[in-house]
Every structure is written in C-alpha cells, then in structure tokens.
Amino acid sequence: MNDDRPVLLETRGTCMHLTLNRPRALNALSHTMVRLLDEALARAGQDEAIHSVLLSGAGDRGLCAGGDIRALHDDARASGRASLEFWRDEYRLNARIARFPKPYVALMDGIVMGGGVGVSAHAAIRVVTERSRVAMPETAIGFVPDVGGTRLLAAAPGELGTHLALTGRSVGAADAILCGLADHHVPARLLPALTEALEEPAGPGVSVADIVQRFATQPPAGDLAAQRAWIDACYAADTVEDIIRKLRESGVPAADTAADELLTKSPLALKVTLAAVRRAARLDSLEAVLDQEFRVSSRAFEHPDFVEGVRARIIDKDNAPQWKPGSLAEVDDREVARFFAPLGPGEQELGLAPEPADTSAGEGRAG
C-alpha cells in the first residue's frame, strides 16, 4: 500500500530520514510539507539519539522541483495572501537548515529547482549525482530567485551566479559544485549504500562528511569552467541592457545564445533579479538576504508578470508570455527599487535578521 503522506519521517539508527513524498509532482513543496519539515528538524535538533539528518526525494526523477507553482498562481489570481504565509514559513525553514546544529545531508539527485534548492543547498553536506539538474529558473515565470538563492548565486565564482540567476539555466553535478551549490558527487547507484552507511554511528574521529567522502567520485565534466572568460566579462556590467550588449558584442556563439534567452524573460524580473543578487552580495547573513527576498517575493506576487509567466510556461504552455512592461527600456528604475522597499502598513516583514544566530558546531552552509 502506498504511503500518501507528503513527507515521510523515519529514524534508522542515528539518522533521521526526511523524504519528500509527492513523486507525481516532482516532490513540489506545499505549505504542509514545509511545516512538517520544520517541525521534524526542531525535534531532531533536540534529540540526542539523532546524530544526523538525511533529506531525499521519493521517486527517481528528482529531489524537488520547487514550490507548488499552480497553487501560488491560483492564489495570486484570486488576490489571496496564502502564498505570503507559505514563503514566510519556507524562508524560516531555509534559515533553520543553514543553522542546523547537526550534520544535515541533502541528496540532490535528479531535478532540484527553486524551493528544492532552498531545502538542500543550505545544508552542511550537499550531494549531487550524474542525474542532477540544479536551477533557479524564476525569471522565466516573471518571478525572482528566492529561498536564499540570491545569496548562494552571489557567492559563486566570478559572474557565474549572475549568469545562472538571469538565464535560469540548470547545471549538472560538476557545475553545481563549481558554483558552490553542492559539495560532493556520488554516483546514483551508490546512494543506497551511502544511506545505509549514514545510519550507523560514526566511529571515533570519523565525521558524517568523512563517510560521504568515501562514496564520492569525480563528476562528469561540466560546461561553465571553460566559459568563465565571456561570462565574467559580460555579466560584470551594471545593467541588464549592458549585459545583453556585451553578450552580443563578444563574438562568442554561446554568449549570443545567452542573450537570446534573456530576451525571452520578464524584463522587470531580470532587472529586479540583477539588483537582488548584487544587493545580496553586500548583506552579511543569510537571514538578511531572506528578509530582502521576502520583500521582493511579496512585490513580485502582486505583479501581473507572475500570473502571466506561470500561465504561459506551465499552465497553457504556449511559451508566449505577454510581459508588462514588454521591454527592458520600459522598466522604470523606481519600480525596481520598490521591490526592495520596506513593506507597507498592514504587511509584516519576515524579520529574521535581528534574531541572534546559532553558531553551534555543525552549522550549515550559509553563514
């Protein structure tokens, strides 16, 4: 009999297993799933019998394809507010994962996008496989990278993170490791053995990271390392218009293709995304970035490009979104700035940054 619980919780040995269990929806996150994960981590952090946590996704297609986009779309069309409460709890979960006091291992096998990055890439130990495809594809649906993604991408070498944030491209194992989104490559066929090894108490002087390293191998070659020259040169520009101009003038076919991709995205989302990544690089904590992202998400949720982007890319799948405004030249800088302004009367800020950070041993990725 199939277990239809959206998150499966099981403690085996000293390891708590958290399994995202919506395989037909590529384990897309619902609000219920976010709450269950948060509650489980709160308990595991206090339980001395649990030495580590392992996150995985049910099925063989991916860890998590992101949030439940259709539910967010329907809420936005109805001028609802449920999505904002979902993001509030989701971003708090992302912060908890980053500060979790015990080793948190994320198996980023298969598709890992959007919210899936949020529950995995802030982990202390992040494992990708030859099947991994990791992405923050929000600009394609008129949205902006969130779940701490702007901090992760801002920290990538050179301008690789800017390239991925604006284009929304997915990367494989080697490029995910290069960009700081993952730590180890483990062949998919070895994941069951790795999982079993993590269930036993580590011996004296042996860490969970040591156990994972025993299974790690060199990933298949990636693409980005060889493209650093044109990516760094073009994406260092101050505006999206200048980035596209540099891509066109570079004489590199791959750069020209990237420019073509950018011109299919929401012009407003592109400009807000560039500003968000640049601002994230100057903020001093993941919590501060999540506070910023909550403001941006709240504004993006209200803008018609989000509903239109989801309609065109996911619901009707005509891939012909009618963006408003329709060109980069029409995007008002004051509108971009509004995405980062404090929330207005009747709106509650996320407010993570003022809270004292837990600096316990075993802290996760983003500090």
Side-chain angles (χ1 to χ4, degrees):
M1 182 175 179
N2 291 332
D3 193 330
D4 61 359
R5 291 175 297 166
V7 177
L8 305 181
L9 308 178
E10 183 180 5
T11 299
R12 301 182 210 159
T14 60
C15 181
M16 174 182 276
H17 292 249
L18 303 176
T19 305
L20 306 181
N21 190 38
R22 294 182 67 202
R24 291 183 180 177
L26 271 171
N27 301 316
L29 293 174
S30 66
H31 202 163
T32 296
M33 294 168 73
V34 165
R35 288 170 173 157
L36 289 171
L37 290 170
D38 193 66
E39 292 166 3
L41 290 178
R43 292 196 305 271
Q46 300 297 319
D47 190 339
E48 294 183 0
I50 294 175
H51 296 177
S52 63
V53 169
L54 180 67
L55 178 75
S56 62
D60 57 4
R61 296 169 62 199
L63 171 66
C64 175
D68 189 333
I69 295 296
R70 287 177 179 265
L72 296 171
H73 167 272
D74 293 347
D75 189 37
R77 284 194 66 188
S79 299
R81 306 294 289 176
S83 298
L84 303 185
E85 295 311 307
F86 165 72
W87 285 321
R88 189 183 302 279
D89 288 342
E90 183 184 26
Y91 299 175
R92 289 183 180 276
L93 171 63
N94 302 148
R96 184 188 290 279
I97 290 169
R99 304 297 182 190
F100 194 65
K102 299 175 182 181
Y104 176 112
V105 182
L107 301 184
M108 301 170 70
D109 184 32
I111 293 173
V112 185
M113 295 184 177
V117 172
V119 295
S120 60
H122 299 299
I125 303 168
R126 305 159 306 170
V127 175
V128 283
T129 74
E130 73 279 6
R131 303 187 299 201
S132 295
R133 300 304 304 177
V134 184
M136 296 297 294
E138 287 77 9
T139 56
I141 57 168
F143 205 66
V144 179
D146 64 340
V147 298
T150 59
R151 180 172 173 83
L152 293 164
L153 294 171
E159 296 295 334
L160 293 180
T162 309
H163 172 58
L164 296 182
L166 294 179
T167 62
R169 285 187 184 178
S170 64
V171 295
D175 288 333
I177 293 171
L178 171 64
C179 291
L181 302 173
D183 304 300
H184 306 282
H185 169 261
V186 174
R189 61 183 174 79
L190 297 182
L191 292 182
L194 169 60
T195 299
E196 186 175 344
L198 290 171
E199 294 168 4
E200 300 301 323
V206 178
S207 68
V208 170
D210 292 333
I211 295 172
V212 174
Q213 186 61 52
R214 292 208 308 260
F215 293 85
T217 65
Q218 190 72 19
D223 301 317
L224 293 180
Q227 298 176 356
R228 278 287 303 276
W230 67 263
I231 288 174
D232 288 354
C234 297
Y235 286 92
D238 291 333
T239 68
V240 178
E241 290 94 332
D242 282 345
I243 288 172
I244 292 175
R245 178 179 57 79
K246 286 178 173 287
L247 290 169
R248 293 292 194 211
E249 294 174 352
S250 70
V252 179
D256 206 46
T257 298
D260 290 340
E261 287 182 41
L262 293 180
L263 291 174
T264 70
K265 315 297 184 184
S266 159
L268 178 60
L270 286 176
K271 289 204 170 187
V272 175
T273 294
L274 180 61
V277 172
R278 297 280 163 83
R279 286 170 178 249
R282 300 192 296 268
L283 295 174
D284 61 3
S285 69
L286 173 62
E287 287 79 3
V289 170
L290 289 166
D291 284 347
Q292 172 176 279
E293 290 179 346
F294 186 75
R295 291 177 177 178
V296 171
S297 295
S298 298
R299 297 294 175 246
F301 179 71
E302 300 168 351
H303 195 276
D305 273 6
F306 175 57
V307 168
E308 173 63 7
V310 176
R311 179 206 65 76
R313 306 295 191 192
I314 295 171
I315 296 177
D316 295 342
K317 297 183 180 178
D318 60 22
N319 290 316
Q322 300 300 306
W323 304 122
K324 297 179 180 178
S327 70
L328 290 165
E330 295 174 273
V331 177
D332 190 328
D333 288 344
R334 290 171 297 183
E335 175 67 2
V336 174
R338 191 180 72 86
F339 278 68
F340 300 91
L343 298 180
E347 299 177 300
Q348 183 183 354
E349 298 276 1
L350 184 60
L352 281 177
E355 297 181 2
D358 177 7
T359 55
S360 311
E363 171 178 291
R365 183 60 41 187

